[in-house]
């Protein structure tokens, strides 16, 4: 069994141990030499070039992804050539374009923030006026880690985005949403096989700093019961309604008036599921491989009551993560450390740590303290 992963980042890298354990051969089409996943049988090539991607795909049984940036025409070229692609282009387009995603979720009747497609500053100002004088504007494509997301009080604050879309025939519009008053952010991960089986992990709480995920607590505190059921139902409805295969991450807002709204979708393993590598019977990376190969899914129960994942953002100013191993391992022997093999750079996700246990405060303390060893 051979799985081809397009994209050589840390998500592809973390699929490697899962593939080795299952005896699955993993091949990676990386964007450049020396990327995070370079230790897999790596090809380097342009994922926007259909010939390059087709040549890569001919050597594997199924193609999947480390990111959602492969263009639709390339994805369709694979499908037309008979290559199994999971998630397929018709699902993936909802994760590639936030306007399409809002349209798709609204069509399915799922709870989303109030939103509109705006093509002119006047339309945006009208939306802002109707929504209490503030709104969140998003570029439909290419945003990540909070880039391409801006809270505004007037359309003038995104004048350059309007200038860009005027030149860009593809997008032609911005997404505007109500500024949601949320108590916290949550994420629901599920995995779905092409033949339909779905497995859901527990709902988790995610903490964002400056638009970047910093911590995840699994399960989300005070989420047992109705909240967990609602979140799982929403994610399952999305997976089925949009025909998603593989891992689907649904980012959610828990509003101050106790509603659950869908913020974002990712159709691949996701930062909010990294805890599962050490905290769940089946990690999101193993589950993704099982799902895209259309094999029965693994259990999603937890080893301990709590798992806390903290990202290592930036890393040490001088040297590498490994330079701090002696201190981290000695001080935090129960914490699991994951190094993405990337050069430290301010704000960059270079690794994560996970602590599991029966006491939440203790797990939070341990994970934060271990992550701090790697940061100046
Ligand atoms: P990306 O995935 O590109 O980083 P998101 O759409 O997830 O962008 O937005 C990044 C962050 O911005 C969210 O995690 C949330 O904290 C905040 N945010 C996004 N949309 C809204 C909204 N409608 N109301 C309030 N905050 C928002």
């Amino acid at each position: 069994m051979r799985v081809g992963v397009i994209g050589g980042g840390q998500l592809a890298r973390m699929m490697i141990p899962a593939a080795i354990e299952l005896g699955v051969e993993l091949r990676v089409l990386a964007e450049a030499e020396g990327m995070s996943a370079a230790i897999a049988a790596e090809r380097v090539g342009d994922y926007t070039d259909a010939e390059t991607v087709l040549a890569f795909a001919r050597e594997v049984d199924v193609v999947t992804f480390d990111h959602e940036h492969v263009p639709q025409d390339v994805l369709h070229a694979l499908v037309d050539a008979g290559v199994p692609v999971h998630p397929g282009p018709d699902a993936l387009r909802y994760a590639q374009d936030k306007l399409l995603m809002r349209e798709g979720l609204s069509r399915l009747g799922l709870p989303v923030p109030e939103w509109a497609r705006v093509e002119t500053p006047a339309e945006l100002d009208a939306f802002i006026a109707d929504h209490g004088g503030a709104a969140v504007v998003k570029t439909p494509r290419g945003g990540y880690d909070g880039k391409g997301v801006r809270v505004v009080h007037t359309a003038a604050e995104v004048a350059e985005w309007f200038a860009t879309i005027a030149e860009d025939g593809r997008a032609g519009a911005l997404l505007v949403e109500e500024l949601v008053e949320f108590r916290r952010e949550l994420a629901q991960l599920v995995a779905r096989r092409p033949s339909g089986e779905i497995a859901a992990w527990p709902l988790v709480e995610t903490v964002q700093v400056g638009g970047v995920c910093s911590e995840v607590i699994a399960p989300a505190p005070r989420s047992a019961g109705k909240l967990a059921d609602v979140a799982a139902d929403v994610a399952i409805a999305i997976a089925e309604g949009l025909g998603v295969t593989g891992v689907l991450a649904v980012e959610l807002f828990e509003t101050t008036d106790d509603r659950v709204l869908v913020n974002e979708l990712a159709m691949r393993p996701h930062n909010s599921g990294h805890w599962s590598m050490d905290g769940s019977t089946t990690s999101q990376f193993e589950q993704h491989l099982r799902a895209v190969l259309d094999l029965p899914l693994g259990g999603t129960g937890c080893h301990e009551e709590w798992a806390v994942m903290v990202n290592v953002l930036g890393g040490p100013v001088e040297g590498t993560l490994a330079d701090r191993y002696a201190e981290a391992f000695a001080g935090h022997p129960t914490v699991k450390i994951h190094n993405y093999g990337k050069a430290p750079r301010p704000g960059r996700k270079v690794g994560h740590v996970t602590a599991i246990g029966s006491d939440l405060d203790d797990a939070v303390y341990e994970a934060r303290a271990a992550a701090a060893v790697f940061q100046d």
Side-chain angles (χ1 to χ4, degrees):
M1 272 180 239
R2 276 177 299 199
V3 174
V5 185
I6 300 181
Q10 65 258 24
L11 301 178
R13 179 188 180 96
M14 288 185 273
M15 289 181 208
I16 299 168
I20 291 171
E21 282 171 5
L22 296 176
V24 168
E25 192 181 325
L26 199 80
R27 302 223 175 145
V28 174
L29 178 66
E31 298 86 318
E33 299 281 351
M35 289 188 70
S36 223
I39 52 177
E42 188 190 39
R43 314 278 187 284
V44 174
D46 179 3
Y47 62 77
T48 67
D49 178 64
E51 280 311 312
T52 302
V53 176
L54 273 167
F56 171 73
R58 276 190 206 103
E59 295 176 15
V60 297
D61 299 313
V62 54
V63 166
T64 188
F65 310 95
D66 162 273
H67 58 69
E68 42 263 310
H69 308 311
V70 180
Q72 281 285 322
D73 59 336
V74 175
L75 297 172
H76 280 288
L78 292 177
V79 172
D80 292 346
V83 176
V85 179
H86 294 297
D90 293 342
L92 202 55
R93 65 199 183 106
Y94 294 102
Q96 292 179 323
D97 185 314
K98 290 182 182 181
L99 269 169
L100 261 184
M101 184 263 291
R102 284 281 175 257
E103 282 164 18
L105 297 179
S106 299
R107 194 173 56 244
L108 292 172
L110 293 166
V112 292
E114 284 182 36
W115 66 275
R117 173 193 169 94
V118 288
E119 293 179 11
T120 64
E123 286 174 0
L124 176 54
D125 277 327
F127 184 96
I128 293 169
D130 285 347
H131 291 83
V136 180
V137 183
K138 301 183 179 183
T139 53
R141 289 167 167 273
Y144 66 97
D145 284 352
K147 294 174 185 65
V149 175
R150 207 175 280 173
V151 177
V152 301
H153 299 84
T154 151
E157 291 170 64
V158 284
E160 84 276 18
W161 287 358
F162 278 112
T164 309
I165 60 167
E167 294 158 14
D168 181 359
R170 273 181 327 149
L174 297 174
L175 168 65
V176 59
E177 299 175 357
E178 66 172 302
L179 178 60
V180 174
E181 281 185 46
F182 57 83
R183 196 177 289 134
R184 56 179 175 168
E185 293 186 66
L186 303 166
Q188 177 67 60
L189 261 76
V190 298
R192 181 171 175 272
R193 289 169 65 185
S195 55
E197 186 195 359
I198 295 186
W201 282 272
L203 179 66
V204 302
E205 178 172 340
T206 66
V207 180
Q208 267 66 231
V209 177
V212 181
C213 176
S214 71
E215 289 183 16
V216 173
I217 300 174
R222 302 175 310 281
S223 70
K226 184 87 185 290
L227 182 60
D229 291 345
V230 168
D233 287 350
V234 165
I236 290 168
I238 294 170
E240 288 177 341
L242 302 183
V244 183
T245 42
V247 168
L248 165 70
V250 180
E251 296 179 20
L252 300 159
F253 297 125
E254 181 187 317
T255 67
T256 51
D257 59 355
D258 290 309
R259 289 174 302 145
V260 172
L261 301 178
V262 179
N263 175 33
E264 257 275 72
L265 305 181
M267 297 181 190
R268 51 172 168 74
H270 187 250
N271 203 162
S272 62
H274 289 355
W275 68 274
S276 63
M277 300 172 83
D278 304 305
S280 176
T281 305
T282 310
S283 82
Q284 62 168 345
F285 298 100
E286 176 178 341
Q287 198 79 301
H288 189 70
L289 295 177
R290 289 184 186 223
V292 301
L293 288 164
D294 203 11
L295 290 167
L297 301 176
T300 50
C302 299
H303 296 313
E304 295 269 5
E305 275 163 87
W306 301 103
V308 177
M309 190 275 339
V310 176
N311 277 336
V312 178
L313 294 171
V317 173
E318 304 246 319
T320 66
L321 296 192
D323 296 338
R324 311 274 171 100
Y325 276 177
E327 183 186 347
F329 292 175
H332 307 281
T334 61
V335 171
K336 299 301 288 185
I337 292 164
H338 300 263
N339 179 346
Y340 304 158
K342 293 159 79 171
R345 203 164 65 203
R348 192 178 207 197
K349 290 176 184 171
V350 291
H352 73 266
V353 305
T354 303
I356 64 173
S358 56
D359 185 276
L360 177 57
D361 291 342
D362 206 40
V364 168
Y365 177 84
E366 275 295 330
R368 285 184 186 169
V373 171
F374 298 105
Q375 270 155 332
D376 292 306

